[in-house]
Amino acid sequence: MGVNNVVNRGIGYARDRPRAAVVAAFGGYLLFDLLLKIAGVDLGPIGGAIPATRVVGYLWNGLVIGLVIGLAGIGLSLTYSILNFANFAHGDYLTAGAFSGWAVTYIIAGLGGAGRIGQTALYLLLGIGSYRLESADLVSLVLLRTPPAEAGANIWLSPVGVVVGLVVAVLATVLVALALDRVVYKPMRGQSSISLLIASIGVAFALRYFVAFVFGNSRRIVTSTTKLPSVSIGGAVINAHEVSLVVAAVVLMVGAHLLLQRTKLGKAMRAMADNRDLAQITGIPTERVIRWTWMLGAGLTGAAGFLLVLSQSGLGFTSGWRLLLLIFAAVIMGGIGSVYGAIAGGLVIGLASRLSLVWLQGGFASFARPTAFALMILILLFRPSGIFGGVKTA
Amino acid sequence: MSDRDVTPPVEGDAGPRELLARAFRPDAVKVTALFAGIWVLFWFLSVQLGYPINGIVSTIRRVTFLSAVYALAVLALNLHWGYAGLFNIGVAGFLAIGAYTTAILSGPTGGTPSGLGLPLPIGIVGGVLAATVVGLLAALPALRLKADYLAIVTVALSEIIRLAFNSRAFSGVTGGASGFDSLPTNPVRSLLLSEPGSIISTPTALGRFVFGLAESLGLSRLVAINVVYTVGTLVVVFFVYHLLERTAKSPFGRVLKAIRDDDVATRSLGKDTRDFKIRAFALGCGLMGLAGVLWFVTGPRSTVTPSNFRPQLTFYIFIALIIGGAGSNTGSILGAAVFASLLFEAPPLVSTLATQTLQVSAQPANLIEALVPLASGNLAPLLGFLLSNIDTLRFIGIGVLLVALVQRRPDGLLGARKETAAAVDLSAASRPADRGGSDE
């Protein structure tokens, strides 16, 4: 009786919404196949054997990268809905945040930690004692050229350095975004979304190569894993950097949620995303809201850039640009303008890009990114309001 | 304006400036003047750098070739964005489809990876058709999206295409990340040499003439071959230009412009706008495929590798279109030439020349080492750093230029966009002299 009911309801659902039924059936097939693979049951075309520990590893890595994408996606989604254009420079904001934040972390860590710097500053003020800073090459520290182990760029060796670096990444990206808004986007308020999009391509070029001009165009390893604590859970190795990333990302996301839901500013932002003209005639100071939008969006993006390096450890001047399309995919998947959609979309994209490796093996492993892009195209074509159904910034 | 009302325009009493402006008006003159200017500039630069005659000619040839292939790609993009208002930023993907298909069809058998060894014309037609078909498949669902969604879809599609060519899974067919190595023979070599593979083999009858001419100018055979190829590319640009000019002025082209300006109004006049858009998109994609073939497969020093087809390439082509002014075919050619020569090729040469003439020896390793000596009034390290980083600086400049153009001159630096609603020219100059001005 119960089973019959469920089957009948399922058939009715499939008849009403055939497309959704196909997606659900495909998802169900993949889940079933995954379970068979973990159980090690080989049924010819489906099933097979894949160690459960590897799946756990994929899930953890997917969560980590998904949180970074989600965090950056909030910023992209906010500017997309409130300023009404697809910001192609968003990835380069992320790069700028990563470089500026880590430069500060390197200085603090390389000079022997915040304690030493504070002590020396105190001695200098009081005119007593001697300089106690390490004799480090400041220039190569600022430009992230010191080998990471030597600089001690690691949350265990220099926790204060990493925290201060994160704060600086946020502040620096906010400054960059405000300056660019003043110079580039402010004179263009009210122009078509395509004009703004083209301008953002110009901004992307200028910003990306400015970073290359200052920091050089070689890709480098930034963090060191020397003495870094790590635990193995279910076969997946989880290190302190990844844990701190998850904590920081969740805290920032909750902060963004509170800001948008509990403050008047958040209400004004949501009103502007819904209808700018209406917001303006109700007396919302649109320019100030736009400024706050950039600050919030860019701040989260800068943090995402810093945290990306914390977990992946590699950094080059194209790092953010390479991530941009995945961020777009997340934002589109969650529905443009929805902050929670961006977070959820980021997690979906992150998890899908790693979990897809269960099926994409050998030479096909490089198809993880194309798969995410294809998913994005399909959603734009068939469900442009996002998989969660067009929830606004609410 | 007022004296035009009393005296109808007569050829004789125009001032020299107006005469110059009038003479400069025809599009052919603009293009010729720009190319002549570019050639003079690069001739000057390479003479100053002390290049031998072969070096001078190949520098000019390289710049011309790059301008020509950019012009092909920009013309095709102009059909999408300038005429039909389709914001396609997946150009690199369509160039890749054309280039890879031709390479695979006409590459010699037995190479790594092995091509099919078909004659080159079949390969080129195949490449163009493949790009057209992919464009058609992409257009069918994608063109109903609004402009910024179409942008994201096309750029994602071009990345999917590039990553597929890059993948190890198909490396037996595409060559994977290292690219398709065994390219078909340059058609000019087959035309001029009895054994296309060997540059010292006996020339054909035509080859004897060309190489004789080259030798009398002191040019090597290799330079001669590349010059002939570049001239051939210019001829293709000429034909594509005329094809697109005809298209733009045809009823089909007028509908496209109407769609760009107001889709709803066009639909309410009974035009199936979607059908027009799809055809324009597919035609443009085919031309992009052709550009990809001439640029990356058969051209001088060509390589077909996935890294050629990054989204940056799309943006370069797009910037060239914006410089020239979207909606104008002549502007497309001018923009392509300005971008490829002045923005892309000239800065490194100018930098080398400046380093030599100013005798800048300081080469600081980074910006800070370059800036610190400024405190003591020493400019040389900064100058040296700027000159040695010209490659990076030029991209900053390109980005700034794009922003400035969108803000100040959205119709392009050379603003040649002309819209004629009527099929015949209605401007004052073409009216009978006795009626001139009376009905203005």
Side-chain angles (χ1 to χ4, degrees):
Chain A
M1 179 66 183
V3 177
N4 247 351
N5 248 349
V6 170
V7 170
N8 279 339
R9 271 175 56 194
I11 291 172
Y13 179 76
R15 204 171 288 147
D16 292 344
R17 306 174 60 187
R19 225 185 265 149
V22 169
V23 172
F26 187 63
Y29 161 75
L30 285 182
L31 189 66
F32 183 58
D33 187 35
L34 179 66
L35 291 176
L36 284 182
K37 281 190 161 90
I38 293 173
V41 183
D42 195 344
L43 299 177
I46 60 170
I50 191 159
T53 55
R54 204 192 297 169
V55 177
V56 175
Y58 287 151
L59 283 174
W60 175 248
N61 287 337
L63 175 74
V64 167
I65 191 75
L67 281 171
V68 171
I69 294 175
L71 204 53
I74 297 176
L76 187 64
S77 190
L78 280 176
T79 46
Y80 207 145
S81 59
I82 292 173
L83 287 120
N84 196 24
F85 76 103
N87 184 6
F88 270 73
H90 195 74
D92 299 296
Y93 287 17
L94 192 140
T95 316
F99 269 103
S100 49
W102 280 101
V104 170
T105 304
Y106 261 50
I107 295 174
I108 293 175
L111 292 181
R116 287 269 180 83
I117 297 177
Q119 203 179 0
T120 307
L122 195 68
Y123 285 169
L124 266 178
L125 276 179
L126 301 176
I128 54 162
S130 58
Y131 303 116
R132 293 209 42 213
L133 296 184
E134 310 249 325
S135 56
D137 179 1
L138 204 58
V139 170
S140 62
L141 277 176
V142 171
L143 298 175
L144 305 178
R145 284 179 198 206
T146 314
E150 203 177 299
N154 173 322
I155 198 159
W156 191 252
L157 297 178
S158 133
V160 179
V162 172
V163 171
V164 174
L166 179 62
V167 173
V168 170
V170 170
L171 295 179
T173 317
V174 166
L175 285 181
V176 168
L178 287 180
L180 285 171
D181 181 58
R182 183 75 197 75
V183 178
V184 179
Y185 301 115
K186 196 170 181 200
M188 297 180 71
R189 292 270 195 271
Q191 287 200 25
S192 74
S193 61
I194 285 298
S195 297
L196 289 164
L197 195 162
I198 296 172
S200 79
I201 292 175
V203 170
F205 264 93
L207 188 56
R208 188 179 324 147
Y209 284 93
F210 181 73
V211 169
F213 181 64
V214 176
F215 290 94
N217 48 16
S218 61
R219 195 177 157 78
R220 68 206 83 197
I221 299 295
V222 173
T223 57
S224 122
T225 48
T226 318
K227 294 184 193 163
L228 190 68
S230 66
V231 287
S232 171
I233 297 175
V237 179
I238 293 169
N239 68 28
H241 280 168
E242 289 166 338
V243 173
S244 26
L245 179 151
V246 171
V247 171
V250 170
V251 167
L252 286 169
M253 284 170 178
V254 171
H257 158 76
L258 291 178
L259 187 71
L260 285 173
Q261 291 299 328
R262 300 285 165 82
T263 65
K264 212 170 173 184
L265 172 72
K267 207 182 237 178
M269 278 185 180
R270 286 181 281 140
M272 261 188 82
D274 278 347
N275 189 331
R276 185 155 164 183
D277 294 335
L278 200 56
Q280 196 156 15
I281 56 166
T282 356
I284 290 173
T286 50
E287 268 306 314
R288 202 186 306 161
V289 175
I290 286 175
R291 209 155 50 231
W292 276 103
T293 306
W294 278 116
M295 288 170 71
L296 180 60
L300 294 175
T301 308
F306 187 86
L307 295 173
L308 175 77
V309 178
L310 190 65
S311 69
Q312 314 284 312
S313 99
L315 178 63
F317 74 104
T318 56
S319 289
W321 163 244
R322 279 158 191 259
L323 207 61
L324 178 67
L325 271 182
L326 287 178
I327 302 174
F328 263 118
V331 168
I332 287 165
M333 194 165 282
I336 289 164
S338 159
V339 166
Y340 311 117
I343 298 172
L347 288 174
V348 170
I349 289 288
L351 288 171
S353 70
R354 291 298 184 272
L355 265 185
S356 63
L357 295 174
V358 170
W359 294 275
L360 301 170
Q361 288 183 343
F364 285 97
S366 53
F367 274 87
R369 275 161 69 86
T371 308
F373 297 159
L375 212 56
M376 169 176 84
I377 293 179
L378 289 177
I379 287 174
L380 268 182
L381 291 178
F382 297 111
R383 209 176 157 79
S385 55
I387 44 176
F388 306 110
V391 192
K392 281 287 179 182
T393 323
Chain B
M1 207 61 194
S2 58
D3 52 31
R4 261 249 311 266
D5 283 340
V6 254
T7 49
V10 187
E11 289 290 317
D13 57 349
R17 260 185 79 176
E18 195 179 332
L19 271 181
L20 197 67
R22 201 176 294 161
F24 199 66
R25 209 167 290 150
D27 291 347
V29 178
K30 280 185 194 167
V31 175
T32 317
L34 180 67
F35 270 93
I38 288 169
W39 287 333
V40 168
L41 173 73
F42 279 87
W43 174 81
F44 172 77
L45 285 175
S46 40
V47 167
Q48 289 298 309
L49 282 166
Y51 286 178
I53 180 73
N54 273 313
I56 296 172
V57 172
S58 35
T59 305
I60 293 175
R61 197 274 312 153
R62 194 181 69 230
V63 170
T64 313
F65 173 71
L66 206 60
S67 303
V69 284
Y70 263 102
L72 276 181
V74 174
L75 280 169
L77 183 62
N78 184 38
L79 183 65
H80 287 167
W81 171 232
Y83 282 112
L86 301 169
F87 197 75
N88 173 11
I89 48 173
V91 182
F94 297 107
L95 292 174
I97 295 271
Y100 267 97
T101 310
T102 305
I104 291 167
L105 287 178
S106 295
T109 49
T112 47
S114 172
L116 294 175
L118 297 172
L120 189 60
I122 296 180
I124 294 179
V125 170
V128 173
L129 280 183
T132 312
V133 169
V134 173
L136 204 59
L137 291 179
L140 284 173
L143 291 189
R144 62 201 168 113
L145 295 173
K146 59 177 199 170
D148 46 352
Y149 285 11
L150 180 68
I152 295 168
V153 165
T154 48
V155 74
L157 179 70
S158 89
E159 276 294 89
I160 292 176
I161 291 170
R162 180 178 72 83
L163 291 169
F165 284 129
N166 194 44
S167 159
R168 233 172 356 116
F170 308 128
S171 61
V173 184
T174 62
S178 57
F180 197 93
D181 266 342
S182 53
L183 293 177
T185 320
N186 182 336
V188 176
R189 278 175 175 251
S190 322
L191 208 61
L192 300 184
L193 294 164
S194 57
E195 280 175 56
S198 146
I199 192 118
I200 48 164
S201 65
T202 345
T204 59
L206 186 62
R208 266 197 295 283
F209 171 70
V210 172
F211 292 145
L213 202 63
E215 217 162 290
S216 65
L217 295 168
L219 298 176
S220 74
R221 282 188 176 187
L222 190 63
V223 173
I225 289 171
N226 288 341
V227 167
V228 172
Y229 184 86
T230 302
V231 171
T233 314
L234 285 175
V235 172
V236 175
V237 174
F238 179 80
F239 279 113
V240 169
Y241 171 80
H242 278 277
L243 171 77
L244 289 176
E245 275 292 284
R246 293 283 301 253
T247 311
K249 294 207 169 101
S250 71
F252 176 72
R254 287 204 297 277
V255 174
L256 290 185
K257 285 188 245 179
I259 292 172
R260 176 197 63 202
D261 291 337
D262 195 333
D263 196 350
V264 178
T266 319
R267 237 179 302 157
S268 66
L269 288 172
K271 303 290 180 194
D272 182 357
T273 55
R274 188 155 173 262
D275 181 58
F276 278 93
K277 282 192 213 169
I278 288 174
R279 277 191 282 163
F281 196 79
L283 175 61
C285 290
L287 290 174
M288 286 169 191
L290 179 66
V293 173
L294 295 178
W295 191 341
F296 294 106
V297 182
T298 51
R301 291 193 188 183
S302 52
T303 54
V304 179
T305 56
S307 57
N308 285 339
F309 303 105
R310 293 185 181 282
Q312 275 94 316
L313 181 66
T314 302
F315 293 134
Y316 299 158
I317 293 165
F318 201 87
I319 292 167
L321 176 64
I322 303 274
I323 291 173
S328 154
N329 288 319
T330 312
S332 301
I333 294 180
L334 296 175
V338 167
F339 180 84
S341 56
L342 302 185
L343 296 180
F344 211 85
E345 288 285 323
L349 283 182
V350 173
S351 158
T352 318
L353 188 60
T355 314
Q356 278 182 14
T357 42
L358 301 176
Q359 295 186 327
V360 183
S361 55
Q363 295 272 328
N366 56 59
L367 183 62
I368 296 176
E369 281 175 27
L371 286 178
V372 169
L374 276 186
S376 54
N378 187 357
L379 267 170
L382 181 63
L383 188 63
F385 185 70
L386 291 178
L387 288 175
S388 61
N389 277 283
I390 195 81
D391 280 353
T392 308
L393 284 175
R394 101 189 133 171
F395 287 116
I396 299 180
I398 286 172
V400 172
L401 176 70
L402 184 58
V403 171
L405 277 177
V406 175
Q407 284 186 346
R408 284 158 216 267
R409 295 287 299 261
D411 287 341
L413 200 57
L414 305 156
R417 180 148 153 180
K418 284 175 291 195
E419 293 300 336
T420 45
V424 291
D425 193 3
L426 296 178
S427 57
S430 67
R431 285 180 211 159
D434 55 335
R435 290 185 51 211
S438 60
D439 52 359
E440 270 187 50

